[in-house]
Amino acid sequence: MKLTSEKLPKNPFHASLSQYAAKNQKFFQWRKEKTDRYSHANLVDKALQLLKERIRRGDTLAYFLRGQLYFEEGWYEEALEQFEEIQEKDHQAIYQLGVMYYDGLGTATDAEKGVQFMKKILDSPCPKARHLKFAAAYNLGRAYYEGKGVKRSDEEAERLWLFAADDGNPKASVKAQGILGLYYSTKEPRELEKAFFWHSEACGNGNLESQGALGLMYFYGQGIRQDTDAALHCLREAAQRGNVYAQGNLVEYYYKMKFFTKCVAFSKRIADYDEAHDIPMIARVTDCLPEFISRGMAMASFYHARCLQLGLGIPKDEATAKHYYSKACRLNPALADELHSLLIHQRI
């Protein structure tokens, strides 16, 4: 299970930058201008010009905002340079440097350096670092789980994630809550009741991946009494919000229930995603793990191929079926092999 870093938490000292905006209305005016003469590139250029002016006037927050704008635009080398420059004065810059060095964004991967930046946040007594501690603990837990920058330890990863999750506190790391759900459902021996608890907490706090996971736990009675209605409710809501793994499981459900027309229509949209471009984009937007996104796409591709092969809900087309079977194998060979085995034994 390859994990991703926690995004920069919102800063309560300028919640969503609203306090900054109130004092600096001109800076945010570019965001409100929706006329055609402003392309995205022009808007970014305008923002950078205004930030430069604010920096010239001594606005300390503008330094970080410029680095964050670079980061969000994917200009990682520029972001790294900006964060390096202000790290002694800005805890958020320290946090972003930890993410960038650990993930190799704008620089060669240096997990040990990334870990040190996160430990600096976690150990800081400064009140301005407080809102970053849960996220930093999640990232450190990831490092221990993956054994990068530190000696691998599931026990230390679990301890840090439990701290980061803070008993389901919505202001803590919701990502840690969701990862604990995944951790307890995949470790040996599995602890499914704990997994259900943490997925429930994360889902209640808006975690999309956990909402889909809860659907499957209800569906198969894992850690909770089996409840098909609750399962479908969770899966459909998660699917509508963009959870591709939930979408893939709904495709499988429609196929098994012989709702072939619905299965075909639903599966084609998912199966036609471009894996090279869409998986990272969907992961970025939904904060779902790429591993489960590709798994959902593989499920949809396989069942779409099966419908095409047999002419279920769609005219038979074996050539196109082969294309989608191949895509399923490319996306997730183990899952495709498992489904192919079921096909051979005439169970699908």
Side-chain angles (χ1 to χ4, degrees):
M1 182 167 62
K2 184 172 175 56
L3 307 183
T4 54
S5 293
E6 176 83 281
K7 293 178 181 177
L8 180 75
K10 292 180 180 179
N11 190 337
F13 290 92
H14 45 85
S16 301
L17 306 181
S18 58
Q19 293 178 13
Y20 183 85
K23 295 178 182 178
N24 302 277
Q25 290 294 334
K26 184 180 177 183
F27 172 75
F28 283 90
Q29 188 63 36
W30 66 275
R31 284 188 168 185
K32 300 176 183 177
E33 295 170 339
K34 301 295 184 182
T35 58
D36 291 340
R37 63 194 177 95
Y38 284 104
S39 66
H40 177 77
N42 286 336
L43 291 172
V44 171
D45 185 61
K46 179 68 173 175
L48 289 172
Q49 291 177 30
L50 292 169
L51 282 168
K52 184 177 180 180
E53 174 62 19
R54 299 307 307 181
I55 289 170
R56 188 185 66 79
R57 295 182 185 181
D59 187 332
T60 55
L61 176 58
Y63 283 94
F64 171 76
L65 290 177
R66 182 165 67 179
Q68 187 62 13
L69 181 57
Y70 289 147
F71 183 88
E72 292 175 358
E73 289 299 310
W75 302 340
Y76 295 125
E77 291 181 3
E78 292 86 346
L80 189 77
E81 182 179 352
Q82 184 74 74
F83 293 143
E84 291 275 17
E85 184 180 337
I86 62 171
Q87 62 173 293
E88 297 301 324
K89 301 177 182 178
D90 195 306
H91 290 89
Q92 295 186 115
I94 295 172
Y95 182 90
Q96 290 294 63
L97 286 170
V99 170
M100 297 181 77
Y101 277 107
Y102 191 90
D103 290 335
L105 302 176
T107 181
T109 300
D110 188 338
E112 288 187 9
K113 197 168 184 178
V115 164
Q116 290 307 311
F117 278 119
M118 289 301 166
K119 284 183 176 179
K120 193 171 182 179
I121 292 292
L122 201 56
D123 296 338
S124 174
C126 180
K128 291 188 177 181
R130 190 174 300 143
H131 72 291
L132 300 168
K133 288 182 181 288
F134 291 129
Y138 161 80
N139 287 331
L140 279 175
R142 176 194 174 192
Y144 278 101
Y145 181 79
E146 296 177 337
K148 292 172 59 178
V150 289
K151 184 178 179 180
R152 191 182 187 286
S153 171
D154 285 353
E155 293 77 15
E156 187 64 7
E158 181 182 3
R159 183 189 72 80
L160 286 160
W161 287 338
L162 286 169
F163 170 81
D166 195 33
D167 292 325
N169 177 3
K171 294 182 180 179
S173 171
V174 177
K175 195 177 185 76
Q177 295 163 13
I179 290 301
L180 281 168
L182 287 172
Y183 173 71
Y184 286 124
S185 63
T186 55
K187 71 187 287 282
E188 292 295 339
R190 295 191 298 172
E191 298 182 67
L192 293 177
E193 289 185 3
K194 285 185 179 181
F196 183 83
F197 170 80
W198 282 112
H199 277 313
S200 297
E201 293 298 307
C203 178
N205 292 327
N207 187 290
L208 178 55
E209 193 136 62
S210 283
Q211 187 174 33
L214 280 179
L216 292 175
M217 296 189 83
Y218 274 120
F219 202 87
Y220 295 107
Q222 296 178 334
I224 191 67
R225 180 179 57 83
Q226 189 174 20
D227 187 335
T228 303
D229 289 339
L232 290 174
H233 175 76
C234 286
L235 287 172
R236 283 169 177 155
E237 281 207 352
Q240 288 172 0
R241 292 175 60 202
N243 185 319
V244 177
Y245 189 43
Q247 293 169 0
N249 278 279
L250 282 175
V251 167
E252 183 174 63
Y253 172 77
Y254 294 143
Y255 181 91
K256 290 181 175 179
M257 295 299 293
K258 300 185 178 181
F259 301 153
F260 296 123
T261 302
K262 194 168 188 177
C263 176
V264 167
F266 201 47
S267 63
K268 179 167 173 53
R269 178 168 56 86
I270 307 160
D272 282 345
Y273 284 137
D274 173 65
E275 60 257 48
H277 172 267
D278 290 332
I279 290 177
M281 182 272 292
I282 293 168
R284 190 164 55 250
V285 171
T286 64
D287 206 23
C288 291
L289 293 174
E291 175 184 339
F292 289 99
I293 296 170
S294 63
R295 188 176 176 88
M297 289 170 60
M299 291 177 75
S301 297
F302 191 93
Y303 282 105
H304 192 70
R306 186 63 171 157
C307 288
L308 284 164
Q309 182 185 15
L310 300 179
L312 301 173
I314 193 172
K316 185 182 292 189
D317 186 340
E318 293 193 5
T320 306
K322 286 180 181 178
H323 163 75
Y324 285 108
Y325 277 135
S326 296
K327 186 169 186 178
C329 291
R330 189 168 63 248
L331 284 162
N332 194 311
L335 175 63
D337 186 61
E338 179 185 326
L339 292 174
H340 186 253
S341 179
L342 293 175
L343 186 155
I344 292 172
H345 290 91
Q346 299 183 340
R347 294 177 59 186
I348 59 174

